[in-house]
Amino acid sequence: MSEITDGRRRRRRSDAERSAAAVLDAAVEVLGRHPDAKVEQVAAAAGVTRQTVYAHYPSRPLLVTAVIDRITAESVAALDAAHVDNRTVTEALLRWLDVTWRLFDHYPLLLHPSVTAVGQADSDRQHAPVTERLERLIRRGQASGEFDGTLSPAWLVSATITLGHAAGGEVAAGRMTTAQAAAALRQSILRLYGAREP
Amino acid sequence: MSEITDGRRRRRRSDAERSAAAVLDAAVEVLGRHPDAKVEQVAAAAGVTRQTVYAHYPSRPLLVTAVIDRITAESVAALDAAHVDNRTVTEALLRWLDVTWRLFDHYPLLLHPSVTAVGQADSDRQHAPVTERLERLIRRGQASGEFDGTLSPAWLVSATITLGHAAGGEVAAGRMTTAQAAAALRQSILRLYGAREP
DNA sequence: CGTTATCTCTGACACGTTGTCTAACCTACC
DNA sequence: GGTAGGTTAGACAACGTGTCAGAGATAACG
């Protein structure tokens, strides 16, 4: 990426690198928490001009994309740290829920319409690393008979995510406490998957 | 509503009435199917100027609100026509799903971020007539033991709606056919409610 | 009828945000 | 120290929302 593009051209300058990084960091903070923030505010938080933001991220949507990518990477790291793959399927599932739940809490952007919206092909591709892990889990559970196999893993993934959003929404609307919502979510998911209750 | 406001004032003119109705009809059509449509397009469809739209609906959000109210009324009529209340709970539930599913199909606006968005207090209030019927159904099922009573009816209502959105999204994304999505939705809901499978 | 209040239309403008452009000015790099 | 590359300040266009004033049409009322 930071290689020489043309045979006789210099490489990217270090201050450009720093600016781009500062902008992305600021965007993760600002947009992550306040999804409606304007480009101007991100620039300010990065200690940079609006034009400089555009120099590195040609449009607001592309900046948001970069933010989501960053958050996704964070999520993957958190999931891997939780060792989701070597446990009882049900236990792993609960861990998965726990980790992603925390992320929703930390980054309201993930609950935001612009990202949540239905026909978002990019959005799907972007979250793939996270959803893949869940889908793998579901397949494992269905194969072992721990989960019922009638509903397709792909649908169960979608359903899980959307229920997560709903639970987050209940908390945001003040209709449930975080603990209540998390508990309801866990139980709902287990039922949905046709898991044998413990 | 169309009464005389002040003792010595004339009543609302008939062409104003017609304009307002034309605007709302057009808005239901245009916004219902293309939620991102601009006020200008609604005005054109109503055969009226943009300013006239504003004369009757002071802002775009208020116009959207009116559209949703209209659709809600339609939905309630459809639900009542389906006699949701005098049947086996499970059967009634499946009817409820069927009716609302059709509505989602007909009015993409209902799936749209601006309406779907989480902390939407108005939105909740608006859909109340529809969700109330579902909640009543759930209570009935839980009381009769046909549904499990662990999860709260209010949460189950939220979960049902969000799963409906997800199913609609799968269809929109081309990952499922309408029939597949409807089937998956039905089964998911029944599991979620802890219904005894037939 | 005619009068009058109401409604619609035309045309204009303010506003906020996104995105582009240019010229001047810095500064990292060789 | 020269130069390519980066940042800035300052404009500006585009677009959608919402507002306003004035001229023209028309429904309601006496």
Side-chain angles (χ1 to χ4, degrees), chain B residues 51-87:
Chain B
Q51 289 88 329
T52 301
V53 174
Y54 281 109
H56 297 289
Y57 300 93
S59 77
R60 193 182 185 286
L62 287 175
L63 179 55
V64 171
T65 297
V67 168
I68 304 265
D69 279 342
R70 161 75 72 88
I71 295 178
T72 299
E74 237 184 75
S75 313
V76 168
L79 284 174
D80 287 349
H83 297 99
V84 158
D85 282 322
N86 15 309
R87 296 180 171 273

Coordinates of all heavy atoms in Angstrom, one line a residue, chain B residues 51-87:
Chain B
Q51 N -44.4 24.1 -2.2 CA -44.9 25.0 -1.2 C -46.3 24.6 -0.6 O -46.6 24.8 0.5 CB -45.0 26.4 -1.7 CG -43.6 27.1 -1.9 CD -43.1 26.8 -3.3 OE1 -43.4 25.8 -3.9 NE2 -42.3 27.7 -3.8
T52 N -47.1 24.1 -1.5 CA -48.4 23.6 -1.1 C -48.3 22.4 -0.1 O -49.1 22.3 0.8 CB -49.3 23.3 -2.3 OG1 -49.4 24.4 -3.1 CG2 -50.7 22.8 -1.9
V53 N -47.4 21.6 -0.4 CA -47.1 20.4 0.5 C -46.8 21.0 1.9 O -47.4 20.6 2.9 CB -46.0 19.5 0.0 CG1 -45.7 18.5 1.0 CG2 -46.3 18.9 -1.4
Y54 N -45.9 22.0 1.9 CA -45.5 22.5 3.2 C -46.7 23.3 3.8 O -46.7 23.4 5.1 CB -44.3 23.5 3.0 CG -43.0 22.8 2.8 CD1 -42.3 22.7 1.6 CD2 -42.5 22.1 3.9 CE1 -41.1 22.0 1.5 CE2 -41.3 21.4 3.8 CZ -40.6 21.4 2.6 OH -39.4 20.7 2.5
A55 N -47.6 23.7 3.0 CA -48.8 24.4 3.6 C -49.6 23.5 4.5 O -50.2 23.9 5.5 CB -49.6 25.0 2.5
H56 N -49.6 22.2 4.1 CA -50.4 21.2 4.8 C -49.6 20.4 5.8 O -50.2 20.0 6.8 CB -51.2 20.3 3.8 CG -52.1 21.1 2.9 ND1 -53.3 21.6 3.4 CD2 -52.1 21.4 1.6 CE1 -53.9 22.2 2.4 NE2 -53.2 22.1 1.3
Y57 N -48.4 20.1 5.4 CA -47.5 19.4 6.3 C -46.2 20.1 6.5 O -45.4 20.1 5.6 CB -47.2 18.0 5.7 CG -48.5 17.2 5.5 CD1 -49.2 17.2 4.3 CD2 -49.1 16.4 6.5 CE1 -50.4 16.5 4.1 CE2 -50.2 15.7 6.4 CZ -50.9 15.8 5.2 OH -52.1 15.1 5.0
P58 N -46.1 20.8 7.6 CA -45.0 21.8 7.8 C -43.6 21.3 7.6 O -42.7 22.1 7.4 CB -45.3 22.2 9.2 CG -46.7 22.0 9.5 CD -47.0 20.7 8.7
S59 N -43.4 20.0 7.7 CA -42.0 19.5 7.5 C -42.1 18.1 7.0 O -43.1 17.4 7.1 CB -41.2 19.5 8.8 OG -41.6 18.5 9.6
R60 N -41.0 17.7 6.4 CA -41.0 16.3 5.8 C -41.2 15.3 6.8 O -42.1 14.4 6.6 CB -39.6 16.1 5.1 CG -39.6 14.9 4.2 CD -38.2 14.7 3.6 NE -38.1 13.6 2.7 CZ -38.1 12.4 3.0 NH1 -38.2 12.0 4.2 NH2 -38.1 11.4 2.0
P61 N -40.6 15.3 8.0 CA -40.9 14.3 9.0 C -42.3 14.2 9.4 O -42.9 13.1 9.6 CB -40.0 14.8 10.2 CG -38.9 15.6 9.6 CD -39.5 16.2 8.3
L62 N -43.0 15.4 9.5 CA -44.4 15.4 9.8 C -45.2 14.7 8.7 O -46.2 14.0 9.0 CB -44.9 16.8 10.0 CG -44.4 17.4 11.4 CD1 -44.9 18.9 11.5 CD2 -45.0 16.6 12.5
L63 N -44.8 14.9 7.5 CA -45.5 14.2 6.4 C -45.3 12.7 6.5 O -46.3 11.9 6.3 CB -44.9 14.7 5.0 CG -45.5 14.1 3.8 CD1 -47.0 14.3 3.7 CD2 -44.9 14.7 2.5
V64 N -44.1 12.3 6.8 CA -43.8 10.9 7.0 C -44.7 10.3 8.1 O -45.3 9.2 8.0 CB -42.3 10.6 7.3 CG1 -42.1 9.2 7.7 CG2 -41.5 11.0 6.0
T65 N -44.8 11.1 9.2 CA -45.7 10.7 10.3 C -47.1 10.4 9.8 O -47.7 9.4 10.2 CB -45.6 11.8 11.3 OG1 -44.3 11.9 11.9 CG2 -46.6 11.4 12.5
A66 N -47.6 11.4 9.0 CA -49.0 11.2 8.5 C -49.1 10.0 7.7 O -50.1 9.3 7.7 CB -49.3 12.5 7.7
V67 N -48.1 9.7 6.9 CA -48.1 8.5 6.0 C -48.2 7.3 6.9 O -49.0 6.4 6.6 CB -46.9 8.5 5.1 CG1 -46.7 7.1 4.4 CG2 -46.9 9.6 4.0
I68 N -47.3 7.2 7.9 CA -47.3 6.1 8.8 C -48.6 5.9 9.5 O -49.1 4.8 9.6 CB -46.2 6.2 9.8 CG1 -44.8 6.4 9.1 CG2 -46.2 5.0 10.7 CD1 -44.0 5.2 8.9
D69 N -49.2 7.0 9.9 CA -50.5 6.9 10.5 C -51.5 6.3 9.6 O -52.3 5.4 10.0 CB -51.0 8.3 10.9 CG -50.4 8.7 12.2 OD1 -49.9 7.9 12.9 OD2 -50.4 10.0 12.5
R70 N -51.5 6.7 8.3 CA -52.4 6.2 7.3 C -52.2 4.7 7.2 O -53.1 3.9 7.2 CB -52.2 6.9 6.0 CG -52.7 6.2 4.8 CD -54.2 6.3 4.7 NE -54.7 7.6 4.3 CZ -54.9 8.0 3.0 NH1 -54.5 7.2 2.0 NH2 -55.4 9.2 2.8
I71 N -50.9 4.3 7.0 CA -50.6 2.9 6.8 C -51.0 2.1 8.0 O -51.5 0.9 7.9 CB -49.1 2.7 6.5 CG1 -48.8 3.3 5.2 CG2 -48.8 1.2 6.5 CD1 -47.3 3.3 4.8
T72 N -50.8 2.6 9.2 CA -51.2 1.9 10.4 C -52.7 1.7 10.5 O -53.2 0.6 10.8 CB -50.8 2.8 11.7 OG1 -49.4 3.0 11.7 CG2 -51.3 2.1 13.0
A73 N -53.5 2.7 10.1 CA -54.9 2.5 10.0 C -55.3 1.4 9.1 O -56.1 0.5 9.4 CB -55.6 3.8 9.6
E74 N -54.7 1.4 7.9 CA -54.9 0.3 6.9 C -54.6 -1.1 7.6 O -55.3 -2.0 7.4 CB -53.9 0.5 5.8 CG -54.5 0.6 4.4 CD -53.4 0.7 3.3 OE1 -52.8 -0.4 3.1 OE2 -53.2 1.8 2.8
S75 N -53.5 -1.1 8.3 CA -53.0 -2.4 8.9 C -54.1 -2.8 9.9 O -54.4 -4.0 10.0 CB -51.7 -2.2 9.6 OG -50.8 -1.5 8.8
V76 N -54.5 -1.9 10.7 CA -55.5 -2.3 11.7 C -56.7 -2.9 11.1 O -57.2 -3.9 11.5 CB -55.8 -1.1 12.6 CG1 -57.0 -1.4 13.5 CG2 -54.6 -0.7 13.5
A77 N -57.1 -2.2 10.0 CA -58.3 -2.7 9.3 C -58.1 -4.1 8.8 O -58.9 -5.0 9.0 CB -58.6 -1.8 8.1
A78 N -56.9 -4.4 8.2 CA -56.6 -5.7 7.7 C -56.5 -6.7 8.8 O -57.0 -7.8 8.6 CB -55.2 -5.6 6.9
L79 N -55.9 -6.3 9.9 CA -55.8 -7.3 11.1 C -57.2 -7.6 11.6 O -57.5 -8.8 11.9 CB -55.0 -6.6 12.2 CG -53.5 -6.6 11.9 CD1 -52.8 -5.9 13.0 CD2 -53.0 -8.1 11.9
D80 N -58.1 -6.6 11.7 CA -59.4 -6.8 12.2 C -60.2 -7.7 11.2 O -61.0 -8.6 11.6 CB -60.1 -5.5 12.5 CG -59.5 -4.9 13.7 OD1 -58.7 -5.5 14.4 OD2 -59.8 -3.7 14.0
A81 N -60.0 -7.5 10.0 CA -60.7 -8.3 9.0 C -60.2 -9.7 9.0 O -60.9 -10.7 8.7 CB -60.4 -7.7 7.6
A82 N -59.0 -9.9 9.5 CA -58.5 -11.3 9.6 C -58.9 -12.0 10.9 O -58.5 -13.1 11.2 CB -56.9 -11.3 9.6
H83 N -59.7 -11.3 11.7 CA -60.3 -11.8 12.9 C -59.2 -12.4 13.8 O -59.3 -13.6 14.1 CB -61.4 -12.8 12.6 CG -62.5 -12.2 11.9 ND1 -62.7 -12.3 10.5 CD2 -63.6 -11.5 12.4 CE1 -63.8 -11.6 10.2 NE2 -64.3 -11.1 11.3
V84 N -58.2 -11.7 14.0 CA -57.1 -12.2 14.8 C -57.4 -12.7 16.2 O -56.8 -13.5 16.7 CB -55.9 -11.1 14.8 CG1 -55.0 -11.4 15.9 CG2 -55.2 -11.1 13.5
D85 N -58.5 -12.1 16.7 CA -58.7 -12.3 18.1 C -59.6 -13.6 18.5 O -59.5 -14.0 19.6 CB -59.4 -11.1 18.8 CG -58.3 -10.0 19.1 OD1 -57.2 -10.4 19.4 OD2 -58.6 -8.8 18.9
N86 N -60.3 -14.1 17.5 CA -61.1 -15.3 17.8 C -60.6 -16.5 17.1 O -61.2 -16.9 16.1 CB -62.6 -15.1 17.6 CG -62.9 -13.9 16.7 OD1 -62.4 -12.8 17.0 ND2 -63.7 -14.1 15.7
R87 N -59.5 -17.1 17.6 CA -58.9 -18.3 17.0 C -58.0 -18.9 18.0 O -57.7 -18.3 19.1 CB -58.1 -18.0 15.8 CG -58.9 -17.4 14.6 CD -58.0 -17.1 13.5 NE -58.8 -16.7 12.3 CZ -59.3 -17.6 11.4 NH1 -59.0 -18.9 11.6 NH2 -60.0 -17.2 10.4

